[in-house]
Amino acid sequence: YLPGQTLFIQAKQDKGQMFLVRGGALFVEKDGRRMHETNTCIGDLVILGAEHQRPCTVRAQTFVFTLEIPKAVFVQAIDKHPDSRRALENYALQTITGRNNDQGGGVQWPMQQAAPQRLSYLLNLYAGVKLYDPAESDWKRLAVESAVLVVQGTAHVVNDEGEVVEVLGIGDTFNEQILLGIPGGHVVSGLRFHMREGPCELQFVSLSVWEKVVSDFPQEQDMIFRSIRHTLANKAAIKNHGTAMSSAEMVRMSPLLHYLSQETIQDGYV
């Protein structure tokens, strides 16, 4: 890199490579401040999946020579060496845990709430989070074959006529039945994921990636899949009846339980 040339830019998404500095000096720009960079390994948390965006801008101060490791190559390598992968996972999980304690956690899939934190890490490592523009074509293909989590921005669910039937905001999901091996919404009900109001930060999880991740949790699989089924059932209840599965109104739809009091219903759930 020539003096003044940029390695990466704060809050931007790129190839996610890690830089090993072999010679030269760098400086870091963040929040209007410029500092000398003393680390010789830069971008390690991005390549590990612990960060989705670059936390700062890094530029060459002098002539700089780097060894760059692309994320795709890194993931292929650690897949071949599971013993080394576990040590790297522990390093990333320590960072994620500390950050979540400071910031109150991040946007998650509903099933992540019932799963070990390591599942979140593996999802971010293999699926990642990316900013998509409505004009791009990649998200259209991915939305057909993958489950979708909205991390930032607003997306929509539309029917075959292009009419909006649901607005998806931060933390909302679509097509998660794919993770159960059930065809996506476009096949079952003619509903499609759509972007029309500017870029969105999304995470797409295909069935192959999901099976790879969840296979690492044999003891928790029943709980994780039960959480996915509950999420789908709750969505259907809200859509069809305007109330959540766990609400008293849903219980009272049964003729047998119609006259139960709120207290009795709550005791039944407990």
Side-chain angles (χ1 to χ4, degrees):
Y1 290 85
L2 299 176
Q5 195 170 1
T6 302
L7 278 70
F8 53 78
I9 300 174
Q10 182 178 0
K12 295 294 184 180
Q13 293 179 333
D14 46 36
K15 295 179 180 179
Q17 70 269 47
M18 180 173 70
F19 299 81
L20 300 178
V21 181
R22 315 306 292 173
L26 301 168
F27 56 77
V28 174
E29 298 174 354
K30 186 174 183 179
D31 301 327
R33 295 179 298 168
R34 175 177 288 186
M35 300 163 285
H36 292 288
E37 177 58 81
T38 57
N39 292 327
T40 57
C41 177
I42 305 172
D44 52 340
L45 295 179
V46 172
I47 203 171
L48 285 170
E51 290 179 339
H52 305 314
Q53 300 177 338
R54 300 294 186 180
C56 58
T57 297
V58 174
R59 306 185 198 277
Q61 185 176 358
T62 63
F63 284 100
V64 173
F65 299 89
T66 67
L67 173 67
E68 299 182 16
I69 304 175
K71 183 173 182 178
V73 173
F74 173 79
V75 170
Q76 291 174 4
I78 63 173
D79 275 348
K80 296 178 181 179
H81 303 278
D83 293 339
S84 298
R85 190 185 78 175
R86 183 52 64 94
L88 294 169
E89 287 177 7
N90 291 335
Y91 172 76
L93 283 170
Q94 289 176 2
T95 302
I96 294 171
T97 301
R99 181 178 302 144
N100 288 347
N101 290 338
D102 294 338
Q103 301 177 2
V107 180
Q108 292 187 323
W109 294 84
M111 69 275 192
Q112 288 178 258
Q113 300 172 11
Q117 190 174 38
R118 183 166 165 265
L119 182 137
S120 301
Y121 164 71
L122 292 178
L123 279 177
N124 290 335
L125 176 65
Y126 292 113
V129 175
K130 183 180 176 182
L131 187 67
Y132 293 88
D133 189 273
E136 297 177 10
S137 59
D138 280 356
W139 67 265
K140 297 178 181 178
R141 172 184 55 82
L142 291 169
V144 170
E145 59 192 32
S146 308
V148 190
L149 170 69
V150 179
V151 179
Q152 286 289 340
T154 302
H156 299 88
V157 177
V158 300
N159 57 24
D160 286 335
E161 288 72 41
E163 300 169 332
V164 175
V165 298
E166 185 182 356
V167 178
L168 302 176
I170 296 174
D172 288 333
T173 57
F174 177 71
N175 257 2
E176 54 266 51
Q177 67 268 22
I178 285 179
L179 307 181
L180 299 175
I182 301 171
H186 67 290
V187 175
V188 177
S189 59
L191 299 179
R192 294 178 290 107
F193 180 86
H194 191 67
M195 291 170 52
R196 60 173 64 175
E197 294 184 359
C200 282
E201 200 169 42
L202 307 169
Q203 184 172 55
F204 290 100
V205 179
S206 66
L207 180 60
S208 61
V209 166
W210 174 247
E211 289 178 339
K212 181 177 185 177
V213 169
V214 81
S215 66
D216 265 25
F217 303 91
Q219 303 299 323
E220 296 88 358
Q221 280 189 18
D222 286 344
M223 177 181 61
I224 293 170
F225 283 111
R226 188 164 58 248
S227 177
I228 297 174
R229 291 192 294 269
H230 176 77
T231 299
L232 290 169
N234 202 49
K235 277 185 166 185
I238 293 172
K239 178 182 178 181
N240 297 324
H241 304 290
T243 184
M245 284 287 293
S246 58
S247 68
E249 290 76 10
M250 182 63 69
V251 174
R252 292 195 184 102
M253 288 182 182
S254 165
L256 176 65
L257 307 177
H258 180 71
Y259 297 102
L260 292 182
S261 68
Q262 180 76 27
E263 292 74 16
T264 303
I265 294 172
Q266 289 303 121
D267 286 344
Y269 275 125
V270 173

